[in-house]
């Protein structure tokens, strides 16, 4: 069964093994999640499960969403994510998922939204080399010429050209991270290493797609 859960990044800390080795871990408040909807090929054209996580005031929920929650007979939640899992049909509407979904030693992929870093130049954003700092050079950190087209007139800039611009704030997945510890009473999962996003951000934890690497 493909496993997945929504959670909140709490922050980073470290734990010690019995041998005294230090392991850096990220603490994720995983759940409780509630299954809101099951999508099938027959009804929707694809298989997916819709999970909800987080408390929200009822006055902040729109009428269409109130009807959606009422149909599933669940309380309104703050975050909803639809996950296309191979075994989506194994989940039932109203089912509650907690941190015990995962066990110590499992490998997981964690998806989140990276920290936004604002406008950045080519050196910081794409790791370009700078120009010479002396001998009359007036191009130190500028991107320089971006080149004209291969032949003929005009100066078309092709899509995807690496230039200064907004950095960060994109969807990032870190693969093959190890679950170091699971605290079921407090719904916490301790994952070895760093995961994307700032503290308090939403993350998706699921089985790794590269288990036998």
């Amino acid at each position: 069964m493909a496993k997945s859960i929504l959670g909140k990044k709490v922050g980073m800390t470290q734990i010690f093994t019995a041998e005294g080795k230090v392991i850096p871990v990220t603490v994720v408040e995983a759940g409780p999640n509630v299954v809101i909807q099951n999508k099938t090929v027959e009804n929707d054209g694809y298989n997916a499960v819709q999970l909800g996580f987080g408390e929200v005031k009822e006055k902040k929920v729109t009428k269409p969403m109130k009807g959606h929650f009422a149909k599933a007979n669940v309380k309104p939640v703050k975050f909803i994510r639809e996950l296309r899992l191979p075994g989506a049909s194994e989940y039932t509407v109203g089912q509650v998922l907690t941190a015990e979904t995962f066990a110590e030693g499992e490998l997981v992929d964690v998806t989140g939204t990276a920290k936004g870093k604002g406008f950045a130049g080519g050196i910081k954003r794409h790791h370009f080399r700078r120009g010479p700092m002396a001998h009359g050079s007036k191009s130190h950190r500028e991107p320089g010429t971006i080149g004209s087209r291969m032949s003929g007139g005009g100066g078309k800039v092709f899509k995807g050209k690496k230039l200064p611009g907004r950095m960060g704030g994109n969807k990032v997945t870190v693969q093959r991270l190890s679950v170091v510890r699971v605290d079921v009473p407090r719904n916490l999962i301790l994952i070895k290493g760093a995961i994307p996003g700032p503290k308090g951000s939403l993350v998706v934890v699921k089985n790794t797609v590269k288990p036998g690497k």
Side-chain angles (χ1 to χ4, degrees), residues 115-156:
K115 292 181 182 180
K117 296 175 173 61
F119 190 94
I123 293 177
K124 182 175 180 180
R125 191 181 185 207
H126 300 296
H127 310 293
F128 290 165
R129 291 176 60 187
R130 62 166 174 78
M133 300 301 288
H135 302 290
S137 170
K138 291 184 172 62
S139 179
H140 305 303
R141 295 180 66 90
E142 293 89 343
T145 177
I146 58 177
S148 56
R149 287 190 84 172
M150 300 294 183
S151 61
K156 180 179 175 64

Side-chain angles (χ1 to χ4, degrees), residues 148-165:
S148 56
R149 287 190 84 172
M150 300 294 183
S151 61
K156 180 179 175 64
V157 178
F158 291 101
K159 204 175 218 180
K161 182 72 176 174
K162 292 181 179 179
L163 292 170

Side-chain angles (χ1 to χ4, degrees), residues 82 103 189:
E82 189 174 287
I189 297 178

Side-chain angles (χ1 to χ4, degrees), residues 187-208:
N187 267 328
L188 299 178
I189 297 178
L190 275 61
I191 300 173
K192 184 179 180 180
I195 64 174
K199 294 177 183 177
S201 61
L202 179 73
V203 295
V204 180
V205 183
K206 53 189 174 183
N207 293 114
T208 183

Side-chain angles (χ1 to χ4, degrees), residues 83-190:
L83 306 170
R84 297 198 181 193
L85 303 176
S89 58
E90 298 178 27
Y91 291 88
T92 57
V93 175
Q95 180 182 350
V96 177
L97 307 178
T98 61
E100 62 183 344
T101 302
F102 292 94
E104 184 177 326
E106 284 191 272
L107 294 177
V108 295
D109 294 344
V110 183
T111 302
T113 303
K115 292 181 182 180
K117 296 175 173 61
F119 190 94
I123 293 177
K124 182 175 180 180
R125 191 181 185 207
H126 300 296
H127 310 293
F128 290 165
R129 291 176 60 187
R130 62 166 174 78
M133 300 301 288
H135 302 290
S137 170
K138 291 184 172 62
S139 179
H140 305 303
R141 295 180 66 90
E142 293 89 343
T145 177
I146 58 177
S148 56
R149 287 190 84 172
M150 300 294 183
S151 61
K156 180 179 175 64
V157 178
F158 291 101
K159 204 175 218 180
K161 182 72 176 174
K162 292 181 179 179
L163 292 170
R166 191 172 182 179
M167 183 179 175
N170 52 327
K171 186 178 177 182
V172 178
T173 299
V174 180
Q175 296 180 325
R176 287 183 59 82
L177 297 177
S178 177
V179 176
V180 178
R181 190 176 296 170
V182 178
D183 188 341
V184 177
R186 294 192 290 176
N187 267 328
L188 299 178
I189 297 178
L190 275 61

